[in-house]
Amino acid sequence: MESVKIIECPRDAMQGIKKFIPTSQKAAYIQALLRVGFDTIDFGSFVSPKAIPQMQDTAAVLDLLDLSKTSSKLLAIIANTKGAQIASEFGQIDYLGFPFSISENFQMRNTHKTVAESIVVLDEILNIAAKSNKEVVAYLSMGFGNPYGDPWNVEIVGQWTEKLAGMGVKILSLSDTIGSSTPEVIRYLFSHLVPQYPQIEFGAHFHTTYAKWYEKIDAATQAGCRRFDGAIQGFGGCPMAKDELTGNMPTEKLVSYFTANKINTNLNPLSFESAYNEASKLFGRFY
């Protein structure tokens, strides 16, 4: 049976919440997720507490996790070399996630660096990761469109993919940062990029409105994508590109789509149901 990787993103679900979630409650929720069988948990970030105050306790959360009975790997988001150096000191972390935007405007909003400066940073992060036995997951923000007036087309996405491939990026997740992707663009990009770069694992990080989730998953799957990010119940989204109607891809929608299409997710249904209930309790208190 064909299988997919599902990356659960509690960090993305939590990071925009204003009220601070106690460290112990974050850790308890992530512990529930670790029992489900997700390929990877995007659990926290090492970025400036001024930028994302909710994630300032990522190291403390990590200390509370029991990783002895999970197959899931851990991913931490970083925005600069300082964050990469801090994250690389933790043996429990497998992946460093770096948001690289092909939109000049969004890159400045997100990391306070130009695209040219960010390429230099990415190169340094790849070196840090290699020395500390980590893998870099690069996120191509604005991968499916751009609301800021910067030039965008599928050729530009292709050019940046070629550039990042040449730098040694092995996992590249195309990010639908504001939920603007269409099935046509999704299908075009994955059907062209997946066969062209067999050395790269391509992923889809979709933000979506409730009505559009199915067509996005379906277009990406049909076009050869086998790595999907989600957040249970669609909580969260990008705090730097806020739209109240656009949240993360709900993980339960990914699960229902793949189950219906007989594609293996490697998830434990009972543990997933338990984690779903924990999400309701946790986010019900803080949203």
Side-chain angles (χ1 to χ4, degrees):
M1 187 192 275
E2 206 177 358
S3 65
V4 290
K5 292 181 180 178
I6 296 184
I7 288 72
E8 179 62 24
C9 304
R11 183 270 320 163
D12 207 345
M14 294 178 189
Q15 66 181 7
I17 297 174
K18 298 286 187 284
K19 189 176 177 187
F20 189 73
I21 303 169
T23 304
S24 60
Q25 292 183 36
K26 286 192 185 100
Y29 178 52
I30 293 166
Q31 196 66 55
L33 296 174
L34 286 166
R35 292 190 278 271
V36 177
F38 294 111
D39 181 82
T40 303
I41 310 278
D42 173 355
F43 83 103
S45 62
F46 293 92
V47 299
S48 164
K50 289 197 194 95
I52 311 284
Q54 188 65 255
M55 292 291 110
Q56 62 189 291
D57 60 346
T58 290
V61 168
L62 191 55
D63 279 343
L64 294 176
L65 299 179
D66 177 5
L67 302 173
S68 63
K69 292 177 184 163
T70 185
S71 60
S72 299
K73 297 175 278 294
L74 292 181
L75 180 150
I77 294 290
I78 45 102
N80 52 35
T81 48
K82 182 184 176 187
Q85 283 159 347
I86 295 169
S88 70
E89 290 167 13
F90 294 93
Q92 308 99 304
I93 294 174
D94 302 280
Y95 298 113
L96 307 181
F98 180 69
F100 176 79
S101 179
I102 58 177
S103 154
E104 197 75 66
N105 275 308
F106 189 73
Q107 193 67 14
M108 287 297 294
R109 284 164 66 121
N110 211 20
T111 66
H112 305 296
K113 283 189 168 53
T114 64
V115 170
E117 289 168 334
S118 297
I119 276 288
V120 175
V121 170
L122 175 57
D123 195 46
E124 292 166 349
I125 289 168
L126 285 162
N127 286 326
I128 292 167
K131 287 175 187 159
S132 55
N133 203 26
K134 314 280 186 221
E135 189 87 61
V136 172
V137 178
Y139 295 87
L140 213 55
S141 303
M142 301 296 158
F144 297 100
N146 185 316
Y148 297 114
D150 299 318
W152 185 93
N153 56 48
V154 290
E155 284 75 26
I156 291 173
V157 176
Q159 287 160 12
W160 280 112
T161 301
E162 187 177 357
K163 171 87 171 166
L164 269 52
M167 292 171 69
V169 169
K170 297 281 195 306
I171 305 173
L172 186 60
S173 199
L174 303 185
S175 295
D176 184 12
T177 316
I178 55 155
S180 64
S181 65
T182 63
E184 294 74 28
V185 171
I186 293 168
R187 209 172 284 115
Y188 183 91
L189 285 172
F190 285 116
S191 65
H192 282 75
L193 295 175
V194 170
Q196 194 174 347
Y197 298 96
Q199 77 278 25
I200 292 182
E201 181 182 330
F202 284 96
H205 183 99
F206 290 128
H207 291 174
T208 186
T209 54
Y210 193 79
K212 302 268 180 87
W213 68 266
Y214 183 91
E215 63 184 38
K216 296 188 185 203
I217 302 171
D218 188 56
T221 304
Q222 299 296 335
C225 180
R226 293 296 178 267
R227 177 189 175 95
F228 290 83
D229 290 10
I232 288 175
Q233 298 185 41
F235 288 119
C238 182
M240 305 299 178
K242 198 60 182 162
D243 175 347
E244 292 304 322
L245 296 174
T246 304
N248 280 298
M249 174 61 71
T251 309
E252 62 274 15
K253 299 301 185 188
L254 289 168
V255 173
S256 70
Y257 175 89
F258 294 128
T259 302
N261 286 279
K262 298 185 169 47
I263 297 172
N264 189 13
T265 62
N266 301 301
L267 305 187
N268 180 307
L270 287 176
S271 297
F272 181 77
E273 188 179 342
S274 175
Y276 185 95
N277 293 335
E278 289 301 315
S280 296
K281 285 191 274 190
L282 178 69
F283 293 107
R285 283 196 293 269
F286 291 96
Y287 253 94

